[in-house]
Every structure is written in structure tokens, then in C-alpha cells.
Amino acid sequence: MSWTLITSLVVITLGCADAYNIESPNTLCFPEHFSFGVATAAYQIEGAWNVSGKGESIWDRYTHDKPERIFSRQNGDVTTDSYHLYKDDVSMLVQLGVQHYRFSISWPRILPSGLSNEVNEDGIRYYLELLTELNNHGITPIVTMYHWDLPQALQDLGGWTNPTIADYFVDYARVLFDNFGSRAKTWLTFNEPMSFCHDGYGGNDAPGARSSGFEDYMCAHHVLRAHGMVYRMYRDEYADKIDYVGITLDFSWLEPATTSEDDQKAAEIARQFYMGWYAHPIFSKTGDYPPIMRERVDAISKLQHFPRSRLPRFTPEEVKMIRGSADFLGLNHYTTYLISKNKGKISLLPSFEEDMGGIISQKKEWPKSNSTWLKVVPWGFRKSLNWVRLEYDNPKVFITENGMSLERGLKDSRRINYLDGYLKSLLMAMAKDKCRVYGYTYWSLLDNFEWTRGFSERFGLYDVDYESPNKTRTPRSSAHYFKELAQTRCIPAWNYTT
Ligand code: NOJ
């Protein structure tokens, strides 16, 4: 069985499930048509935050108005300046020999006020040129519509907590399909809604609403509606132009902290809250939120004296519209956490964590990265993939992010070690467990603006010298490793010293 991604110039046939070469540890190979690529996102790399008609995004506003919430008061005003230097980025992709490039489009660069009555022609020009450059080099674009940079004008109307936003997102998607559909055939509606709803509306990312257990639920609700509506529009009106529409969800593995029944149960509930919250409505047979989530939030809302559940309800039509609304699951996986049951009394203060009822930790001895949350636990990757396989009837999966942050430096053997471990775990999930995975995307092509962590956490295969006028990009050892991986599709022996 194979799955084919077709662009105007490039055809990639993805994955014959049985064609593996994993007999000897020296020849651990992915199937012939497995696609390797790298990812970036608009706000993190483009810079040019206010040039040529671009509107303000919530990250522009947040970093400018609340600089104390960002590492060293940094922002993405210039970052790696890929708006001007995108040809350098494409040259790096060519050097790496990757099959695909995942990038995102800045909504306010296309629609400065968020609404489709005013289209910024320079924004259209910019992405058309980038797509042409990719097509000319035979690199398949995988385009994310929304990677967290909401037009500020829409946030002023409540952002993702306002039900009307789903209509505006559909209007935006239409502009994208109309303008870029001939060059980009594979699309992701959203990147990591769990992160931008929970951390943005429930926590400290833009817009910084800090209303956990409330606005994060509203955000998720309208994101899911918006996703389903765009998928249906594509199936009804753009099926002859666009090949695949999916969504990227983030799933860290959640392992019970002990073998106790309480912790086993708490870990499964946590998986339903973190992953099922978004995946169940789209990928399960029944649709809607996971039953355990509905049950817990309804009950806890009642205990907290709310007249109705803090978790909104879909209409039966919405459940149907959202169910099955993805051609594939884009999966971001980085790390693993431990879950133990929270045995404390239920607080009267609403929060997602309280509703989920688990306490999260990580093992001290797990190897560190340069991000506090990211520990190196390769086996969690295989477990995550298998959970998805069993829970959602083995959907088509494309790894849209995986990677590790380090401090500055070109010799990044610890990153190569991370890649080696995670790729082996992925390959075993595919070859032995028969998980249907069709591609792998490293985060990130180059160092970039890591949200509230500023430039302090470097994920790139390419180092960026932010002080230099042309933001000099230099390949790390891991770039050489990745090149061999992308070209041979076999996991390289990783004794690189340069
Ligand atoms: C997930 C997000 O999609 C991306 O924007 C971020 O930089 C990486 N994880 C690393 O934290």
C-alpha cells in the first residue's frame, strides 16, 4: 500500500510498509519513498515584521508590549531575516538534499487585518517566490496555514475564543488555496493547537491570557471547528487542486510514574487530555471530545459551582463535520514525561491541569537538552506512535517536527546522538509495529526565535550568527549527518568529528 504526495513538479510516493532493511545495525534503512525534510515557521524566521504592508501579529504585539516575559527582552522583528534571505535557506535545503520543506505562512503578511477584504500583494509575491524556488529545486513544500502568529486585529475581537474566527480562518484558507494551490499541494491547517491554546490562552505565550481551564477550552473548540470547515471546503471546492490537508498535533509520551494502578490510569487520562483533546474529535470513529475528558470537566465544573461545563459542546452536525477531517496526522514529538495521580483535593480554581488530574515530572537522569522541558527519551517516540496506531486505527502519520536544542557550537554530537536514538525508535515503530509513517521532518533547518525563550535555545542544523549583518548560516556536524540520512534514507553511522 502506498500513499503519494504530488506537487506540480515533484512526485513523491511515500512508503511501502514492508520494504525495510533493518537486518543489521549497520543498515537501518527507511523505505525507498520515505520523505526526509526540515521545518521552520514564519514568525520564528522571517523578521520584516512591519515591512511592505504586513499587519501586526499577536507575537509582534506581545514581544513589544511585554518584553519582560521574553528571554533577554528579545523579539522576532528581524530574527534570521528569511523574508530577505529565503534564497539562502533554499540553498541550504539543496545542500542537505532533503525531499520536503515544511514552512508556515504569516496570516497578517497575507491579510494585514486578518480579513480577506484586503489582500497584501507583497505577501502573495513573497510566498510565490519561495514556492517557485522550492519547485525549481524539486523540493516538496508542506505548508502550515497557522503557526501561532494571529493577526492582532483578530485578537482584538477575542482571537480564538470568538466563535466567528472560524469563518475568518476559512476565508484566509481560501485566499491561500487560490493563490498558492498550483504550487503547494500538501497543507496543514494548524500547528500544535495544544500549545497555542493551552500556553497562549491558558498561560504565558501570546496573547498571554492566563485563563487555563476556560479560554484554552474555547480556543480549542473554535480551532477544531475552523479545521473541520477548511477541510470540508477543500473537499468540496479544491479537491482537483489540492492533494492533502492534515493538522499537526504535538504529543509527548506520557508514561506512568510508577506501576500502581492509579498512575497507570492517570497516565492514560493525561494522554486523552493532551492528545485526545484534539485527536479524538478528528481521528476517532465516534468523534467529539474524549468521553473521559467530557466526564471529568463536566463533573469538576459542577463541583466548582459553574452552571454549565467549562468544556464547550459541539452540535451533532459539528461532530460529524470534524470527524474524519484529515488526510493524515502531522505529529510533533520531542520528549517524554512521567504522570502520577494527583491525590490532592480538587481546587475551586479552574485549570486544565486540575481537570486532567495528573502530576507531571521527568526523570533527573534523562539526558538534558538546552530547553528545560526537553529530555532525551527515544523510546517514548515508539510508544507515542503505537498509542496513536491503536487509538485511531493506524492513521497515516507524517512526522512534522522532532529535534533537540543545544547551546551555540558547530560540533553537536549530542544532537546527532538524539537523532540516532529517535530515528531508530521511529524505524522500529514502522518496521516491527507497522505504524504507517510516511515522512520525517527535523526541527529546525536553522536556529531561530524560540518564542518566550528568545534566541537562547538553538535547534538548527545550521548555526545562525545573529550579530552578523547577513545572519550568516553555518552547517553544524548534524547538517552533514542529516544530508547522509536524506540521501541514503539509512541511519548513518555517526562518528562525525567535524
Ligand atoms: C514546536 C513548535 O511548533 C515550534 O515552533 C518550536 O520552536 C519547537 N516546538 C521547539 O520548541
Side-chain angles (χ1 to χ4, degrees), residues 200-250:
Y201 290 85
N204 252 338
D205 279 3
R210 295 179 169 174
S211 165
S212 179
F214 236 130
E215 290 190 39
D216 44 0
Y217 292 153
M218 295 179 193
C219 170
H221 200 69
H222 304 310
V223 163
L224 284 161
R225 288 178 50 246
H227 164 81
M229 286 158 70
V230 166
Y231 185 83
R232 298 299 161 205
M233 174 178 77
Y234 131 74
R235 290 301 284 256
D236 291 347
E237 299 174 46
Y238 292 92
D240 56 336
K241 202 172 183 188
I242 305 294
D243 292 326
Y244 300 105
V245 173
I247 184 168
T248 282
L249 304 180
D250 47 318

Side-chain angles (χ1 to χ4, degrees), residues 40-41 44 102 147-148 191-192 195 248 250 332 334 371 373-374 400-405 443-444 448-451 453 457 459:
T40 60
Q44 296 179 273
R102 174 180 178 232
H147 200 123
W148 307 0
N191 176 70
E192 296 197 354
S195 298
T248 282
D250 47 318
N332 289 0
Y334 286 86
S371 309
W373 56 273
L374 203 174
T400 41
E401 284 182 36
N402 172 246
M404 182 195 194
S405 63
W443 180 273
S444 173
N448 57 57
F449 183 77
E450 178 61 11
W451 310 109
R453 299 301 304 149
E457 298 177 12
F459 282 86

Side-chain angles (χ1 to χ4, degrees), residues 212-214 217 296-311 345-356:
S212 179
F214 236 130
Y217 292 153
R296 287 184 66 91
V297 185
D298 287 4
I300 296 174
S301 302
K302 209 172 188 178
L303 273 176
Q304 293 166 334
H305 312 298
F306 288 101
R308 73 188 72 81
S309 179
R310 287 177 281 102
L311 186 67
K345 233 178 115 209
I346 289 186
S347 150
L348 282 184
L349 270 186
S351 85
F352 170 87
E353 281 70 22
E354 193 72 42
D355 293 338
M356 185 257 301

